[in-house]
Amino acid sequence: MSRDTCVQTWPCSYYLELEKRWVPGRLSLTPLSLKFTTDKTREPLVSFPLSGINEIKKEASHFIFSSITILERDHSKHWFSSLQPSRNAVFSIIEHFWRELLLSESGAAAEASSSSMTKGKELTCLMACTQKRLEDTAKVLHHQGEQLDSISRGLDKMESDLDVADRLLTELESPSWWPFSSKLWKTPSETKPKWDTSMADSKALGKEGIVIQVPAVISQRTESHVKPGRLTVLVSGLEIYNSDSLLMHRFEREDVDDIRVHTPYEISIRQRFIGKPDITYRLISAKMPEVIPILEVQFSEKIELLEVAMMLRSTRTSSLAEKSYSVWQAASGLMDQATHCESSSGSQEGRPLQLQTSEPVISEEDTQELGQDTFQSPVQLFK
């Protein structure tokens, strides 16, 4: 996925210190940078990476207007005011992506990774993405299997209760002088182990299986009121927590009516009601691209990709297809060379075998690089 994807755009004003005036325009946020574009020229006025930010603060310009100030490592200070929908909303989203970038494993070096990769590294990244998707799918299927086992235990308990009720009715219908009526009862010792076993199994499972947890910026009815928190994807539903780890809302799996993917970093979850307002939460997260594939597995019939997300998905799919095609093209080229060598060797009997080889499509360094990385097999993922 392109790191230049626009996450959010806000109308605002930028302060030109040399000219001592405010310039109206729009502030755009990507996963790696901030950019301000003027309304008059439609050209970027300032642009700087998130990794180069030292501090983000809320300040007041001229002691009246609320603003956001961004201090870079070279001590350059930028002032943004008249932010819409609100200063707090813009500040929370920018701070979230800034912190997540600093906390990520790539850190500030993510922007410097624009150099061309070798074919070995491209193949390694492709295989790592495939492995990650298999791991997520295996985790979801495993938790769904546990849920089916829990349903099966519940059905067994219901069957046992129905058996006891049937025996109770038979006992009540039997005459008092019938000598074998007491044997129709099921003793507590016979029914207790089954119940205790199911309870023990549920306790053994511990807390409900968590598929993934990601930090997020949450808004409910209006975009101007946002707060930091986190999204937890469970087997049986979704949970939204605030920054104090207090549960804000829980969506059961059957309660979710639709999930809309606005961008690779923003989704909205809605639960409809008749006669009262719907419950809708909008979430923005730097790690949302890791959550969306899992949501597509769990809520395949309820998830909806909007136009921007569809365009980015088609771009990502085409790029992966091109990589796969290049790999197969390289492999077919090697096979054609081998076939040509075999045919030429058959016509030159009695002569020493001489091969005129050209530069290999995949070098030995790429082969060694691939050989050093070991991946789990799909069978091990399900264990």
Side-chain angles (χ1 to χ4, degrees), residues 35-219:
K35 180 177 64 175
F36 178 80
T37 305
T38 60
D39 290 339
K40 186 176 181 179
T41 61
R42 301 291 180 181
E43 294 181 358
L45 185 61
V46 290
S47 179
F48 47 90
L50 293 179
S51 58
I53 296 177
N54 263 356
E55 188 179 16
I56 302 176
K57 295 176 63 178
K58 299 178 185 177
E59 296 188 37
S61 59
H62 301 91
F63 304 101
I64 298 175
F65 304 105
S66 60
S67 305
I68 292 178
T69 59
I70 297 177
L71 181 64
E72 292 190 86
R73 292 181 179 176
D74 58 355
H75 303 289
S76 300
K77 193 171 185 179
H78 306 276
W79 289 77
F80 299 95
S81 185
S82 303
L83 294 157
Q84 298 178 13
S86 68
R87 180 183 69 166
N88 292 335
V90 177
F91 177 81
S92 299
I93 295 174
I94 295 177
E95 185 187 38
H96 167 77
F97 278 85
W98 175 53
R99 290 184 182 277
E100 290 301 319
L101 179 64
L102 296 181
L103 293 174
S104 62
E105 295 180 357
S106 56
E111 187 181 11
S113 62
S114 58
S115 59
S116 59
M117 295 190 302
T118 62
K119 290 184 178 180
K121 289 183 179 180
E122 291 181 0
L123 293 174
T124 303
C125 294
L126 183 62
M127 294 174 68
C129 293
T130 305
Q131 181 197 11
K132 184 67 169 59
R133 180 64 64 87
L134 285 174
E135 289 177 353
D136 294 338
T137 306
K139 192 182 297 184
V140 172
L141 291 176
H142 174 68
H143 288 305
Q144 288 180 351
E146 290 182 351
Q147 193 172 20
L148 290 175
D149 292 340
S150 178
I151 294 174
S152 177
R153 288 193 298 269
L155 291 175
D156 291 340
K157 179 64 173 57
M158 292 173 60
E159 184 180 359
S160 176
D161 293 341
L162 289 175
D163 190 17
V164 172
D166 183 59
R167 291 175 181 272
L168 179 60
L169 290 175
T170 305
E171 176 69 20
L172 292 175
E173 293 174 357
S174 301
S176 58
W177 49 267
W178 185 248
F180 303 104
S181 60
S182 61
K183 294 184 179 180
L184 296 174
W185 283 90
K186 219 173 191 181
T187 61
S189 60
E190 295 176 358
T191 60
K192 189 175 181 181
K194 203 167 198 178
W195 171 255
D196 290 345
T197 302
S198 62
M199 290 295 292
D201 291 340
S202 63
K203 290 181 179 179
L205 291 175
K207 190 177 179 180
E208 187 178 5
I210 296 175
V211 181
I212 191 172
Q213 283 183 341
V214 294
V217 179
I218 305 164
S219 61

Side-chain angles (χ1 to χ4, degrees), residues 6-19:
C6 183
V7 178
Q8 284 284 324
T9 302
W10 304 280
C12 69
S13 298
Y14 178 76
Y15 184 68
L16 289 175
E17 189 174 0
L18 297 178
E19 301 179 9

Side-chain angles (χ1 to χ4, degrees), residues 224-255:
S224 59
H225 296 84
V226 302
K227 57 183 70 176
R230 77 171 188 269
L231 171 66
T232 302
V233 180
L234 305 170
V235 178
S236 58
L238 305 171
E239 290 182 349
I240 299 175
Y241 293 87
N242 60 13
S243 57
D244 297 326
S245 298
L246 298 177
L247 181 64
M248 297 175 58
H249 189 77
R250 175 184 171 91
F251 291 96
E252 297 293 339
R253 189 167 183 173
E254 60 274 6
D255 294 339

